[in-house]
Amino acid sequence: MSSGNTNKDYSKGQRIKIHQPDANKADSFSPSNHIYVRAVQGIWTRLRSRMGWVAMLSFMLLPWVQWGDRQAVYFNLAEQKFHIFGLTIWPQDLTVLAALLMIAAFGLFFVTTYLGRVWCGYTCPQTVWTFIFIWFEEKFEGARNKRIKLDKMPWSFNKVWRKAAKHSAWLAFSLLTSMTFMSYFVPTTVIYTEVFTLSASGLIYFWVIFFMFATYGNAGWMREIMCLHMCPYSRFQSAMFDKNTFIVGYDAKRGESRGPRSRKADPKALGLGDCIDCDLCVQVCPTGIDIRNGLQYECINCGACIDACDNTMERMGYEKGLISYTTENKLEGIKEKLLRPKLVGYGVVMLTMVVLFIYSITAIEPMRIDILRDRNQLYRENTDGLIENTFTLKILNKTEQAQEYQLVVEGLSDYKWYGPQVVTIDSGEVYTLPVSVAVDPVDLKRTITDFSIRLSTKVDGELVEVKQESRFFSP
């Protein structure tokens, strides 16, 4: 793609989006016209590669980490409980999960406002897996020019085996990705044993195959289509950007007018800027854009074009940084502002959610009791002349072992309890216990008396208690 045919005014740091078609991306929806990404070396490429390895290995290895007698991270949908190391989240504790998701959301907003779309460029699974698939592509089909040439060649044995090897590697890695993802919902040892011994259920095979082809399609075929046309983040990111957001930017004042020249030539004598119009910044871009045309929503801030341009500047003997992480204000010669209302606002909300999340975790009790009144009768007088109320208790054991619980009424004097006051409940069980509480009417001063039922047990030798309030009705 040559960008020398545009005569836009770059001196004002405008956000320009080119709409004309180009040879590299004539039809981004067609697999036959996919972007051929050129390999590049540089500081940002190394950083992205290392962060990608950390993200991928964390995802791959985490299901194999054990915590006691179970997986450290295990989302048990059948029993409706999520295990995250020593924390067990039940459906009753989903506020904790909601708080965690809100922290992630506002964390993303904060980082985007400050550093632009670096999440997409360095840690987004779509980006990480796309570059892994491109690595397989380079190993079997060669560098960018060789891949372009191979695709234009007629079918031959050389082309068939290279294509077959590449797609086989893609499918194998997609299967590994799918199995790993499923390991978060089905025990790791179980899913690998059952799938490869052909003893898994049809539902497990369905999801393994589904996620395998989803990975194969996303990272192998769709790639930038996901970023450009399907990812909602690329559409609403501009709402978080401002002129002090760090973006990948091209210094048009220094680079224009662009044009080829020899290393020994004086660009000023030729009336040229530092950009030699080599197009390497376009060739290394995973979304196929030309960063010299201004900020575009397709840019994922991966820094590949920075490395490509710095390498060119170094070969030419020019100063690096023609393309760099910068801000619009800096490109326009305006002093940058680090702290601004939007950034501070996102940071305050994020910190508030972190505090609420920590409080929610510390407030999680290892048990729960709910009191349901008998709706058919508020009260009755029994044969002993006592006023009796009937309740149904729902007791949940949220620990990993069976527990013995004791029930005590508080707030009612000289009461009688009809039903067991000591119960043993298995791990994860919701125990239903119908009980009645009776009180002498002489001791009841009001028609409605507030009281509570205290549930107590010992967890790891420590006494734990929870209370649930209710009301006692009388004539």
Side-chain angles (χ1 to χ4, degrees), residues 216-451:
Y216 172 75
N218 287 346
W221 291 96
M222 300 182 73
R223 294 186 183 177
E224 74 281 353
I225 295 176
M226 295 292 297
C227 301
L228 305 186
H229 305 289
M230 301 181 70
C231 177
Y233 179 52
S234 65
R235 301 296 178 174
F236 68 73
Q237 61 171 333
S238 59
M240 292 168 276
F241 276 30
D242 56 44
K243 289 183 176 293
N244 292 290
T245 299
F246 279 90
I247 58 173
V248 174
Y250 166 68
D251 189 351
K253 294 179 181 179
R254 173 186 160 189
E256 300 300 316
S257 294
R258 68 187 77 153
R261 81 293 302 266
S262 68
R263 296 183 185 181
K264 297 180 180 180
D266 182 4
K268 293 182 180 179
L270 298 174
L272 298 174
D274 284 355
C275 178
I276 67 172
D277 205 17
C278 62
D279 269 358
L280 290 180
C281 57
V282 181
Q283 295 176 21
V284 301
C285 179
T287 58
I289 65 170
D290 189 341
I291 196 62
R292 296 170 296 181
N293 294 327
L295 178 63
Q296 298 148 76
Y297 78 89
E298 297 97 333
C299 178
I300 62 173
N301 269 30
C302 67
C305 56
I306 299 178
D307 287 334
C309 187
D310 282 350
N311 292 340
T312 298
M313 294 295 102
E314 187 175 19
R315 288 194 299 270
M316 295 296 295
Y318 300 163
E319 181 185 356
K320 295 181 180 180
L322 179 59
I323 301 175
S324 64
Y325 282 109
T326 184
T327 67
E328 286 192 271
N329 275 342
K330 186 175 182 180
L331 289 174
E332 295 173 4
I334 302 174
K335 185 178 179 180
E336 300 167 289
K337 294 181 180 179
L338 177 61
L339 296 178
R340 55 260 197 205
K342 185 188 296 184
L343 184 65
V344 173
Y346 286 141
V348 169
V349 174
M350 182 179 67
L351 291 177
T352 303
M353 294 309 303
V354 169
V355 172
L356 291 176
F357 175 70
I358 294 174
Y359 172 77
S360 299
I361 290 179
T362 57
I364 291 178
E365 299 288 352
M367 55 194 178
R368 180 185 176 96
I369 179 173
D370 292 316
I371 304 175
L372 306 178
R373 292 190 54 84
D374 184 0
R375 297 183 179 181
N376 297 321
Q377 190 176 34
L378 291 179
Y379 64 89
R380 70 184 181 88
E381 185 176 344
N382 63 19
T383 56
D384 296 327
L386 303 178
I387 302 301
E388 185 177 330
N389 284 201
T390 302
F391 306 92
T392 300
L393 307 183
K394 299 282 188 178
I395 305 172
L396 170 62
N397 178 6
K398 296 162 65 175
T399 67
E400 296 298 309
Q401 302 85 26
Q403 297 286 347
E404 184 179 85
Y405 296 95
Q406 185 172 7
L407 297 156
V408 177
V409 174
E410 295 181 348
L412 296 175
S413 60
D414 197 20
Y415 67 90
K416 276 195 174 184
W417 179 282
Y418 298 97
Q421 283 191 272
V422 178
V423 293
T424 300
I425 303 175
D426 291 332
S427 172
E429 180 184 359
V430 178
Y431 190 84
T432 301
L433 178 64
V435 299
S436 293
V437 179
V439 181
D440 191 323
V442 177
D443 296 327
L444 297 170
K445 307 301 181 182
R446 296 181 298 275
T447 57
I448 301 176
T449 303
D450 294 330
F451 77 102

Side-chain angles (χ1 to χ4, degrees), residues 43-262:
I43 182 173
W44 301 112
T45 300
R46 288 194 299 272
L47 177 61
R48 185 183 66 246
S49 176
R50 289 169 184 173
M51 292 185 67
W53 274 106
V54 170
M56 185 193 67
L57 290 177
S58 299
F59 168 75
M60 293 288 186
L61 298 178
L62 199 54
W64 296 96
V65 178
Q66 294 293 305
W67 187 271
D69 58 350
R70 60 168 172 81
Q71 276 182 217
V73 179
Y74 176 41
F75 306 127
N76 191 336
L77 299 181
E79 298 181 9
Q80 296 185 345
K81 53 185 178 181
F82 299 157
H83 301 287
I84 305 176
F85 293 93
L87 178 66
T88 300
I89 300 178
W90 296 79
Q92 294 84 356
D93 304 318
L94 285 182
T95 52
V96 175
L97 187 59
L100 184 61
L101 294 175
M102 292 183 69
I103 291 172
F106 280 98
L108 182 63
F109 298 160
F110 178 83
V111 171
T112 301
T113 302
Y114 183 49
L115 296 175
R117 208 173 162 185
V118 291
W119 157 260
C120 295
Y122 289 85
T123 54
C124 174
Q126 177 69 22
T127 301
V128 173
W129 261 250
T130 294
F131 276 105
I132 292 172
F133 275 48
I134 291 175
W135 181 83
F136 281 118
E137 201 169 54
E138 291 174 343
K139 293 302 178 183
F140 291 109
E141 297 184 1
R144 178 178 184 270
N145 293 336
K146 292 183 178 179
R147 299 200 302 273
I148 295 175
K149 183 178 179 181
L150 183 68
D151 283 351
K152 292 180 179 180
M153 291 172 55
W155 285 99
S156 62
F157 175 77
N158 178 61
K159 184 173 182 178
V160 168
W161 86 259
R162 291 183 182 276
K163 292 289 185 182
K166 179 188 75 173
H167 287 282
S168 297
W170 283 1
L171 286 169
F173 194 76
S174 298
L175 177 61
L176 177 61
T177 301
S178 177
M179 297 279 286
T180 301
F181 180 74
M182 288 295 295
S183 296
Y184 286 90
F185 303 93
V186 180
T188 305
T189 54
V190 173
I191 191 168
Y192 279 91
T193 302
E194 292 187 353
V195 167
F196 290 114
T197 58
L198 304 180
S199 58
S201 66
L203 187 62
I204 289 180
Y205 280 117
F206 169 79
W207 287 114
V208 167
I209 294 173
F210 174 83
F211 288 120
M212 179 184 73
F213 280 104
T215 305
Y216 172 75
N218 287 346
W221 291 96
M222 300 182 73
R223 294 186 183 177
E224 74 281 353
I225 295 176
M226 295 292 297
C227 301
L228 305 186
H229 305 289
M230 301 181 70
C231 177
Y233 179 52
S234 65
R235 301 296 178 174
F236 68 73
Q237 61 171 333
S238 59
M240 292 168 276
F241 276 30
D242 56 44
K243 289 183 176 293
N244 292 290
T245 299
F246 279 90
I247 58 173
V248 174
Y250 166 68
D251 189 351
K253 294 179 181 179
R254 173 186 160 189
E256 300 300 316
S257 294
R258 68 187 77 153
R261 81 293 302 266
S262 68

